Structure formats: C-alpha cells, structure tokens
Amino acid sequence: MASKKKIGIEYAFPVTIVSLLGVFFIIMVVLSFTQGTMMKLYKDIGATPWKKPNTVISIGGSKLHSHKDIMSAVKATQELYEDEWYTYNGAYLMQLSYFDEFNELKKNENSGEWIYLGATMYTGYGSNVSEADKGKYHNAYWAVEKHPDGSWLCRGCAELTEDVSK
C-alpha cells in the first residue's frame, strides 16, 4: 500500500513567503512604471483596470421629448463612449443629464430632431491625456440625432464653458 506524502511546514512556509514577496514585487513594479497614477485614479474616481466607475444618469421631466427617446439617446451616447472614447486612465463619462432648458438653447443649431445631454467628464493620467487636463473634471455635452427610422445616433461630444447640470 502506497503512503501519501505530506508537505511539511518546513516547505510550506518558505513557499508562502516567496509567493507574497513576488506579489509585492509585481505591485511595486506596476506602481513605479505608472508613476503612482493608478493610485491617483483610484483615489479620485475609484477606477481600476478591471472596473470603471458607473455613469450616473439624471433625467428630469421633459415637455420636448418622450422618456423613451431620451433613454434611447442616453443608450446611444453610452455606446459611442464605450466604443470610441473610453480608455483606462483616459476619458471617463461620470454623469449624463437631460434638461429641457439646455435643449431649448441648442434646438436651432441643427436641422432634424436632436437631444443634447449635459455631461460631466473626467480625464485620467494616461499618456494620451494632455498635461493640462490630467486628473480634472470637465463640463461637456453629447449631441444625439434621431434618424427617420426612429433610431438614435450619437454624433459626439463637445466641451462646455458653463455647468448644465442645474
């Protein structure tokens, strides 16, 4: 009959210590190569490479657009943001807001039916971010156009000089 060999404490303890030191070393290497920006980003908005912050959606009542149309515009905006704007340690869409007053101001800028969503954006510390914008919040808006088939297509984002989340 064969007997099972057990790993003694004299082997388990050193293996555990070496493993912990390896993990610590990897963490320190990552932090040194990112110059602490990972920790700044996490402290600022809670973002990590495997988890980005949720976008807060704030929709007021509307006399101009149906709730369904506004939510379709929000969805189109989030899809464009995910596909073309989001990068870890780059641009973050923190909040999207809809207000009739803002849409009244913008309604004559384009022909057709449009919804304009106020936004709070945050730029991280990545190498693709300008030095002047690193670690800052920005007021912006997203323009979303309604197509004849009833679908909505987000056309992009522009910076605002005033806060529209009133």
Side-chain angles (χ1 to χ4, degrees):
M1 183 171 188
S3 64
K4 293 184 181 177
K5 289 187 174 183
K6 293 185 178 179
I7 298 176
I9 189 78
E10 64 273 3
Y11 296 110
F13 184 71
V15 168
T16 303
I17 294 298
V18 168
S19 298
L20 290 174
L21 286 173
V23 168
F24 178 75
F25 177 75
I26 290 170
I27 290 170
M28 295 311 291
V29 166
V30 168
L31 287 176
S32 68
F33 279 113
T34 61
Q35 300 166 348
T37 61
M38 288 179 69
M39 294 304 290
K40 288 180 190 175
L41 188 63
Y42 180 76
K43 185 182 85 172
D44 290 350
I45 60 172
T48 63
W50 52 89
K51 180 190 170 290
K52 65 178 176 244
N54 292 329
T55 302
V56 175
I57 308 297
S58 175
I59 308 297
S62 176
K63 295 178 183 174
L64 300 175
H65 301 283
S66 72
H67 185 74
K68 180 182 175 189
D69 281 345
I70 295 169
M71 293 311 293
S72 294
V74 166
K75 183 179 179 196
T77 300
Q78 289 177 312
E79 288 172 358
L80 181 68
Y81 163 73
E82 291 286 332
D83 292 344
E84 296 181 16
W85 285 69
Y86 171 74
T87 59
Y88 172 71
N89 213 353
Y92 290 89
L93 179 58
M94 303 303 294
Q95 182 175 1
L96 277 176
S97 305
Y98 174 85
F99 296 97
D100 275 349
E101 298 82 6
F102 183 60
N103 279 265
E104 280 288 336
L105 291 173
K106 294 284 196 188
K107 72 179 179 181
N108 294 326
E109 289 187 9
N110 296 299
S111 62
E113 189 174 351
W114 289 75
I115 290 180
Y116 300 93
L117 301 168
T120 301
M121 304 287 293
Y122 178 86
T123 51
Y125 301 91
S127 60
N128 60 340
V129 177
S130 73
E131 286 298 320
D133 289 333
K134 288 185 178 188
K136 292 186 179 175
Y137 287 93
H138 306 275
N139 292 320
Y141 72 93
W142 294 78
V144 190
E145 179 183 21
K146 187 172 188 177
H147 285 223
D149 67 357
S151 65
W152 289 87
L153 179 64
C154 185
R155 295 294 187 174
C157 180
E159 190 169 358
L160 278 174
T161 55
E162 71 276 357
D163 185 9
V164 297
S165 61
K166 298 173 186 167

